[in-house]
Each structure stands twice: as C-alpha cells, then as structure tokens.
C-alpha cells in the first residue's frame, strides 16, 4: 500500500514550510533540499496554493509560505486533497460487488486511517525529537546551496 | 490510495471459496465469474496455497477450497500477505526523515487501518444482505459457463 508521489511531495513541501518559521522559502530551496525536480514541485505548490494551503509572494524577494498556521492544517486534509481517491480495490468491475461485503470493510478501515491523519496537524511536527532545520544545517553542502537560492532569480 | 491488483484478486478468490460451501471450485470457474485471466489466478492461488489459506485437490475431479474455516481467515492476514509493504511514502531517500515526524503519523494511521481489517474474517461476509451465489445465479450466462467448468479438464 502506497500513497502517491504527489502526496509525498506535498507533505514534504508543507513540512519544510512549517519548519521555516522565519520568512519565505523558495521552490529552488525545497528542490535542492529534498533532491526533487523544480518542475514537479511547481505543480505541487500550485495545487497547494489553489487549496489555500500555501501562499505565493511574487517578485525578486518573493517566495512561498504556509497560507494558514501549521496547527490549522491537518495531515488528513492534505492526503484527502492529493490522493486520487480511496476506493482501495476496483469493485466497479466486479459482479458480486453488491453481495460481498468487502467494500464496507475496506471503507471502515480507510475511515480509521484518515481519522488518525485528521487528528494530527503540521503544527504537531516540530514536537518531534529533532528540529528539521537543525538536520538541514548538518548537511553543509545542501544548506549552502539552499541559502544561496532564497530570494534569488529562481525564487519561483 | 490503492491496494495492489494482487490483493484485489486474492480477496476475490477467498470470497468465492467462502461462498462455495458445498464442495470444490475451479480456477476456471473463478476466472469466468470475475473476468480475470486464469494465468493471473493461478499465481494468486499458488501464493494463497503456500500461505496455508487455500488447499488444492489434484486430479480430474479436483479443485480448490479454503484450507481453514472462513471465520479463521482475517481480511488483515490476507492484505498483509499480498501487499508489498506498508511504507506509505519513501522516507528512505529523504534527508529530514529522522526529524519530520510524518513517518510516525503514517505508521499509526496504517496500524489503525490494519486493526479494522484484522477484526473481520471471511466468515463475516455471508452475513451481508445478499448471498454471493444468489448474485452469481442471476447471471445465467456466467453461471452456465462456470457450472460447465467445475471438475472439467480445466479444473486447475
């Protein structure tokens, strides 16, 4: 069982922006940090923006930031937004779908899954043992590149 | 979020064998009923056999059946067997994995998902509103074909 790469990247962007409490970030910076292509991230940020999760500040000193406080963005909200759906198996093509009862069981399990994700917000994350920006700082090469990118021509 | 086709087919086979309480079934019969290729089903049945969930009786009048009572086979056991794993996102490639806390949240959500599946067995299924074999009987063409297949040369 996997979530889509799209969900994965969306969560990573929001984790990064949650950790960066002191200003704007750039897509280039997020790209360098995680080793994810800027093109992919631009699509992800665009959708997160449309959903009211990320705000874009345009211009030379622009960048991106969370549109709402991190403790108002639940992990469940993001996963619901970015997954294609939660029909775990394709019952539509199955002639016994009405009778077999598996669909109801899978639905109940999925609801339990999402209930846990709904109970956590991105504001809960910095309570973990380490601070994400401390981890980033322990990778000098990445850190140097990312700092250089902030607010630069590649800001968006 | 999706389960693999392999899980889908495994569940369908077990649902079919649960409903068929009066004897052996054939792979050809399951194939005709669901419109799934026999080759795929043979691989599925082989793995279910190795896992002690399905028994194969060889020979002209042979076939397949559940290896244990349906109420001793939980849906969770099957999904754990047939899914490749439950690491929902690839944290292995992420430099902030130690710090971000998302992995723990996804793990907790996955455990809640599996706990629901563990709480149901295939023996619970016939309690649903309709009987699966009644549904099959309402598709005369399929029923005719499947009855013709039982115990025939294509039994396995």
């Amino acid at each position: 069982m996997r979530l889509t790469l799209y969900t994965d990247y969306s969560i990573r962007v929001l984790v990064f922006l949650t950790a960066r409490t002191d200003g704007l970030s750039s897509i280039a910076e997020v790209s360098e940090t995680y080793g994810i292509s800027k093109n992919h991230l631009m699509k992800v940020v665009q959708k997160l923006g449309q959903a009211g999760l990320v705000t874009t500040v345009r211009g030379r000193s622009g960048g991106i930031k969370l549109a709402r406080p991190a403790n108002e963005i639940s992990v469940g909200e993001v996963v619901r937004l970015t997954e294609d759906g939660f029909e775990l198996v394709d019952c539509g093509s199955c002639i016994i779908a009405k009778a077999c009862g598996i669909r109801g069981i899978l639905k109940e399990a999925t609801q339990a899954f999402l209930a846990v994700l709904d109970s956590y917000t991105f504001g809960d994350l910095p309570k973990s043992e380490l601070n994400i920006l401390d981890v980033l700082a322990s990778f000098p090469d990445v850190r140097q590149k990312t700092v250089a990118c902030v607010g630069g021509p590649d800001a968006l």
Side-chain angles (χ1 to χ4, degrees), chain A:
Chain A
M1 191 165 78
R2 298 279 280 191
L3 297 174
T4 62
L5 213 52
Y6 185 49
T7 297
D8 184 353
Y9 290 176
S10 297
I11 289 174
R12 292 202 209 196
V13 168
L14 294 171
V15 166
F16 192 95
L17 299 184
T18 298
R20 172 59 52 78
T21 54
D22 58 348
L24 297 172
S25 303
S26 70
I27 288 178
E29 183 181 24
V30 180
S31 166
E32 291 277 354
T33 300
Y34 291 122
I36 301 171
S37 91
K38 275 174 62 180
N39 282 343
H40 284 127
L41 286 175
M42 285 175 71
K43 290 175 191 166
V44 167
V45 167
Q46 186 180 28
K47 186 150 182 176
L48 294 176
Q50 288 167 346
L53 296 171
V54 166
T55 295
T56 298
V57 178
R58 302 209 171 272
R60 185 172 172 77
S61 59
I64 56 175
K65 62 178 181 177
L66 294 183
R68 311 198 310 252
N71 61 8
E72 292 178 13
I73 302 173
S74 77
V75 180
E77 177 182 357
V78 176
V79 171
R80 287 171 204 273
L81 172 73
T82 54
E83 286 295 300
D84 283 333
F86 294 94
E87 194 189 14
L88 300 188
V89 295
D90 178 19
C91 294
S93 65
C94 182
I95 67 167
I96 65 163
K98 280 187 184 173
C100 94
I102 282 287
R103 182 151 54 176
I105 295 171
L106 293 177
K107 192 173 178 183
E108 184 182 331
T110 303
Q111 285 169 340
F113 175 83
L114 289 171
V116 172
L117 299 188
D118 287 339
S119 72
Y120 288 98
T121 72
F122 283 83
D124 295 321
L125 298 181
K127 292 174 190 164
S128 59
E129 291 172 20
L130 298 167
N131 183 288
I132 291 163
L133 292 179
D134 288 345
V135 176
L136 293 178
S138 69
F139 291 81
D141 290 349
V142 172
R143 190 71 190 146
Q144 194 172 16
K145 283 182 190 169
T146 59
V147 168
C149 290
V150 178
D154 290 333
L156 282 180

